[in-house]
PDB file of all heavy atoms in Angstrom:
ATOM      1  N   ARG A 264     234.117 -40.014  47.138  1.00 98.00           N
ATOM      2  CA  ARG A 264     234.165 -40.990  46.039  1.00 98.00           C
ATOM      3  C   ARG A 264     232.758 -41.488  45.685  1.00 98.00           C
ATOM      4  O   ARG A 264     232.506 -41.928  44.580  1.00 98.00           O
ATOM      5  CB  ARG A 264     235.004 -42.207  46.460  1.00 98.00           C
ATOM      6  CG  ARG A 264     236.482 -41.918  46.638  1.00 98.00           C
ATOM      7  CD  ARG A 264     237.148 -41.863  45.297  1.00 98.00           C
ATOM      8  NE  ARG A 264     238.603 -41.820  45.361  1.00 98.00           N
ATOM      9  CZ  ARG A 264     239.351 -41.740  44.280  1.00 98.00           C
ATOM     10  NH1 ARG A 264     238.809 -41.691  43.079  1.00 98.00           N
ATOM     11  NH2 ARG A 264     240.655 -41.687  44.390  1.00 98.00           N
ATOM     12  N   PHE A 265     231.867 -41.447  46.669  1.00 98.00           N
ATOM     13  CA  PHE A 265     230.526 -42.002  46.484  1.00 98.00           C
ATOM     14  C   PHE A 265     229.461 -40.910  46.331  1.00 98.00           C
ATOM     15  O   PHE A 265     228.276 -41.166  46.528  1.00 98.00           O
ATOM     16  CB  PHE A 265     230.184 -42.939  47.659  1.00 98.00           C
ATOM     17  CG  PHE A 265     231.107 -44.132  47.740  1.00 98.00           C
ATOM     18  CD1 PHE A 265     232.293 -44.064  48.472  1.00 98.00           C
ATOM     19  CD2 PHE A 265     230.820 -45.296  47.050  1.00 98.00           C
ATOM     20  CE1 PHE A 265     233.163 -45.149  48.524  1.00 98.00           C
ATOM     21  CE2 PHE A 265     231.685 -46.389  47.096  1.00 98.00           C
ATOM     22  CZ  PHE A 265     232.860 -46.316  47.842  1.00 98.00           C
ATOM     23  N   THR A 268     226.775 -41.891  44.104  1.00 98.00           N
ATOM     24  CA  THR A 268     226.136 -43.186  44.406  1.00 98.00           C
ATOM     25  C   THR A 268     224.870 -42.935  45.216  1.00 98.00           C
ATOM     26  O   THR A 268     224.853 -43.047  46.446  1.00 98.00           O
ATOM     27  CB  THR A 268     227.124 -44.114  45.153  1.00 98.00           C
ATOM     28  OG1 THR A 268     228.368 -44.093  44.467  1.00 98.00           O
ATOM     29  CG2 THR A 268     226.625 -45.543  45.230  1.00 98.00           C
ATOM     30  N   ARG A 272     221.153 -46.226  41.892  1.00 98.00           N
ATOM     31  CA  ARG A 272     222.560 -46.604  41.796  1.00 98.00           C
ATOM     32  C   ARG A 272     223.069 -47.098  43.152  1.00 98.00           C
ATOM     33  O   ARG A 272     223.816 -48.075  43.232  1.00 98.00           O
ATOM     34  CB  ARG A 272     223.355 -45.375  41.327  1.00 98.00           C
ATOM     35  CG  ARG A 272     224.737 -45.699  40.882  1.00 98.00           C
ATOM     36  CD  ARG A 272     225.276 -44.544  40.073  1.00 98.00           C
ATOM     37  NE  ARG A 272     226.733 -44.494  40.163  1.00 98.00           N
ATOM     38  CZ  ARG A 272     227.470 -43.647  39.484  1.00 98.00           C
ATOM     39  NH1 ARG A 272     226.903 -42.758  38.686  1.00 98.00           N
ATOM     40  NH2 ARG A 272     228.779 -43.682  39.605  1.00 98.00           N
ATOM     41  N   GLY A 296     227.736 -58.125  39.182  1.00 98.00           N
ATOM     42  CA  GLY A 296     228.327 -56.817  38.883  1.00 98.00           C
ATOM     43  C   GLY A 296     229.617 -56.914  38.084  1.00 98.00           C
ATOM     44  O   GLY A 296     230.001 -58.004  37.635  1.00 98.00           O
ATOM     45  N   LEU A 297     230.243 -55.777  37.945  1.00 98.00           N
ATOM     46  CA  LEU A 297     231.501 -55.701  37.191  1.00 98.00           C
ATOM     47  C   LEU A 297     232.626 -56.377  37.963  1.00 98.00           C
ATOM     48  O   LEU A 297     232.548 -56.543  39.182  1.00 98.00           O
ATOM     49  CB  LEU A 297     231.869 -54.226  36.973  1.00 98.00           C
ATOM     50  CG  LEU A 297     230.905 -53.370  36.132  1.00 98.00           C
ATOM     51  CD1 LEU A 297     231.284 -51.891  36.241  1.00 98.00           C
ATOM     52  CD2 LEU A 297     230.913 -53.823  34.675  1.00 98.00           C
ATOM     53  N   HIS A 303     236.530 -50.268  39.231  1.00 98.00           N
ATOM     54  CA  HIS A 303     237.318 -49.191  39.826  1.00 98.00           C
ATOM     55  C   HIS A 303     238.324 -48.574  38.867  1.00 98.00           C
ATOM     56  O   HIS A 303     239.115 -47.705  39.271  1.00 98.00           O
ATOM     57  CB  HIS A 303     238.020 -49.707  41.095  1.00 98.00           C
ATOM     58  CG  HIS A 303     237.058 -50.274  42.102  1.00 98.00           C
ATOM     59  ND1 HIS A 303     236.732 -51.609  42.135  1.00 98.00           N
ATOM     60  CD2 HIS A 303     236.325 -49.686  43.092  1.00 98.00           C
ATOM     61  CE1 HIS A 303     235.852 -51.831  43.107  1.00 98.00           C
ATOM     62  NE2 HIS A 303     235.578 -50.686  43.694  1.00 98.00           N
ATOM     63  N   ILE A 308     242.276 -44.855  42.793  1.00 98.00           N
ATOM     64  CA  ILE A 308     242.152 -45.176  44.227  1.00 98.00           C
ATOM     65  C   ILE A 308     243.533 -45.462  44.828  1.00 98.00           C
ATOM     66  O   ILE A 308     244.346 -46.181  44.243  1.00 98.00           O
ATOM     67  CB  ILE A 308     241.176 -46.363  44.433  1.00 98.00           C
ATOM     68  CG1 ILE A 308     239.749 -45.925  44.057  1.00 98.00           C
ATOM     69  CG2 ILE A 308     241.214 -46.887  45.876  1.00 98.00           C
ATOM     70  CD1 ILE A 308     238.714 -47.020  44.066  1.00 98.00           C
TER      71      ILE A 308
HETATM   72  C1  LIG B 608     237.809 -54.775  49.039  1.00 72.81           C
HETATM   73  C2  LIG B 608     237.456 -53.554  48.690  1.00 72.81           C
HETATM   74  C3  LIG B 608     236.331 -53.213  47.754  1.00 72.81           C
HETATM   75  C4  LIG B 608     235.287 -53.958  47.330  1.00 72.81           C
HETATM   76  C5  LIG B 608     234.961 -55.412  47.693  1.00 72.81           C
HETATM   77  C6  LIG B 608     234.505 -53.149  46.430  1.00 72.81           C
HETATM   78  C7  LIG B 608     233.346 -53.578  45.802  1.00 72.81           C
HETATM   79  C8  LIG B 608     232.668 -52.828  44.871  1.00 72.81           C
HETATM   80  C9  LIG B 608     231.547 -53.305  44.123  1.00 72.81           C
HETATM   81  C10 LIG B 608     230.923 -54.693  44.226  1.00 72.81           C
HETATM   82  C11 LIG B 608     231.137 -52.310  43.312  1.00 72.81           C
HETATM   83  C12 LIG B 608     229.975 -52.348  42.316  1.00 72.81           C
HETATM   84  C13 LIG B 608     230.426 -52.785  40.948  1.00 72.81           C
HETATM   85  C14 LIG B 608     229.338 -52.617  39.903  1.00 72.81           C
HETATM   86  O1  LIG B 608     228.699 -51.529  39.866  1.00 72.81           O
HETATM   87  O2  LIG B 608     229.139 -53.533  39.099  1.00 72.81           O
HETATM   88  C15 LIG B 608     232.000 -51.182  43.586  1.00 72.81           C
HETATM   89  C16 LIG B 608     231.869 -49.951  43.007  1.00 72.81           C
HETATM   90  C17 LIG B 608     232.500 -48.828  43.459  1.00 72.81           C
HETATM   91  N1  LIG B 608     233.529 -48.780  44.346  1.00 72.81           N
HETATM   92 FE1  LIG B 608     234.330 -50.353  45.301  1.00 72.81          FE
HETATM   93  N2  LIG B 608     235.050 -51.917  46.359  1.00 72.81           N
HETATM   94  C18 LIG B 608     236.175 -51.912  47.146  1.00 72.81           C
HETATM   95  C19 LIG B 608     237.026 -50.858  47.341  1.00 72.81           C
HETATM   96  C20 LIG B 608     236.750 -49.579  46.985  1.00 72.81           C
HETATM   97  C21 LIG B 608     237.500 -48.396  47.413  1.00 72.81           C
HETATM   98  C22 LIG B 608     238.749 -48.429  48.290  1.00 72.81           C
HETATM   99  C23 LIG B 608     236.852 -47.320  46.876  1.00 72.81           C
HETATM  100  C24 LIG B 608     237.195 -45.869  47.036  1.00 72.81           C
HETATM  101  C25 LIG B 608     237.598 -45.345  48.155  1.00 72.81           C
HETATM  102  C26 LIG B 608     235.743 -47.791  46.095  1.00 72.81           C
HETATM  103  C27 LIG B 608     234.868 -47.018  45.396  1.00 72.81           C
HETATM  104  C28 LIG B 608     233.880 -47.485  44.569  1.00 72.81           C
HETATM  105  C29 LIG B 608     233.011 -46.627  43.780  1.00 72.81           C
HETATM  106  C30 LIG B 608     233.038 -45.085  43.733  1.00 72.81           C
HETATM  107  C31 LIG B 608     232.147 -47.471  43.083  1.00 72.81           C
HETATM  108  C32 LIG B 608     231.015 -47.063  42.142  1.00 72.81           C
HETATM  109  C33 LIG B 608     229.733 -46.969  42.945  1.00 72.81           C
HETATM  110  C34 LIG B 608     228.564 -46.603  42.058  1.00 72.81           C
HETATM  111  O3  LIG B 608     228.120 -47.431  41.271  1.00 72.81           O
HETATM  112  O4  LIG B 608     228.116 -45.444  42.183  1.00 72.81           O
HETATM  113  N3  LIG B 608     235.694 -49.169  46.190  1.00 72.81           N
HETATM  114  N4  LIG B 608     232.912 -51.535  44.523  1.00 72.81           N
END
Side-chain angles (χ1 to χ4, degrees):
R264 292 281 190 181
F265 297 89
T268 313
R272 194 163 153 175
L297 297 169
H303 303 92
I308 292 174

